[in-house]
Amino acid sequence: GCVLSPGRRQRRSHAGDTVTPVLLRCTRGLLKLVGDRAGTLVEAEPGIDDWYANVFVIERRKCLLLVHADTLFPVLDTDVRVAQLDDLGFYVATLVVDALASEGLPGTTLGPLDPSGVWVARTASRSVLGHMNEMTFEAQHLIARDGGLRHTDLDGLNRRLRRGLHRRGSDYVVPRELAARRTA
């Protein structure tokens, strides 16, 4: 894979503005699914604005869970088609901006989201992965309780996940509240 030094995390846009690419840290399962679409994997130091991504299956449908490293803000999409992953940057950026808007937050709340500037890397935080596993379990439970994907309100499920309580060190945090603090 390509190795990035901390100074190389930024690049210039066509307008001359400095743009920091989104670093999407994918689980092995997602990397296997996207295959060559992911391009060259980068190696970079973990950052607070990295996004973690995992894919799992419910009712033979692929589901994508994105989680922001610093705030644990989750974005869940169900019934994901492999073709949607062809333009991974656009797909992820659209999901995140829409999720933030649904919470009344600006699209840049959790860092830059340049769809053309998404770099893919392997996961780097066991802690974030642990929180993702909890969110996946909760989503599976809530979907089953609702009677399956067909009967589940995806927006309501995402709102619930974003308001879940998570233990981080000696504190308990709520992803939606942590994200909202970034706009203050």
Side-chain angles (χ1 to χ4, degrees), residues 18-29:
T18 299
V19 177
T20 304
V22 176
L23 190 59
L24 184 65
R25 295 192 173 276
C26 300
T27 60
R28 266 184 259 135

Side-chain angles (χ1 to χ4, degrees), residues 20-151:
T20 304
V22 176
L23 190 59
L24 184 65
R25 295 192 173 276
C26 300
T27 60
R28 266 184 259 135
L30 183 56
L31 287 173
K32 184 177 176 183
L33 181 65
V34 297
D36 293 338
R37 290 180 204 84
T40 303
L41 294 182
V42 299
E43 292 181 28
E45 290 297 314
I48 63 170
D49 284 328
D50 293 354
W51 282 90
Y52 281 68
N54 187 28
V55 66
F56 60 96
V57 176
I58 296 179
E59 298 173 5
R60 298 190 328 234
R61 307 261 185 210
K62 290 175 191 67
C63 301
L64 180 72
L65 177 64
L66 303 169
V67 174
H68 184 257
D70 184 46
T71 63
L72 301 177
F73 187 90
V75 179
L76 176 66
D77 195 21
T78 58
D79 203 16
V80 176
R81 307 279 188 222
V82 174
Q84 290 173 288
L85 304 176
D86 286 341
D87 190 348
L88 192 59
F90 178 77
Y91 178 56
V92 166
T94 301
L95 285 175
V96 171
V97 169
D98 289 350
L100 289 166
S102 77
E103 295 288 348
L105 299 170
T108 56
T109 298
L110 301 177
L113 289 166
D114 176 10
S116 65
V118 172
W119 291 341
V120 177
R122 288 183 171 80
T123 59
S125 170
R126 287 175 150 183
S127 174
V128 174
L129 290 173
H131 291 292
M132 289 180 79
N133 286 338
E134 289 175 22
M135 292 176 197
T136 299
F137 179 78
E138 183 176 2
Q140 291 169 326
H141 169 74
L142 293 170
I143 289 168
R145 186 199 67 189
D146 289 347
L149 280 172
R150 239 177 17 161
H151 303 289

Side-chain angles (χ1 to χ4, degrees), residues 148-167:
L149 280 172
R150 239 177 17 161
H151 303 289
T152 298
D153 170 22
L154 182 59
D155 291 332
L157 176 58
N158 269 298
R159 275 190 299 280
R160 179 133 182 205
L161 291 174
R162 292 176 195 138
R163 284 155 180 77
L165 198 58
H166 297 274
R167 185 177 178 112

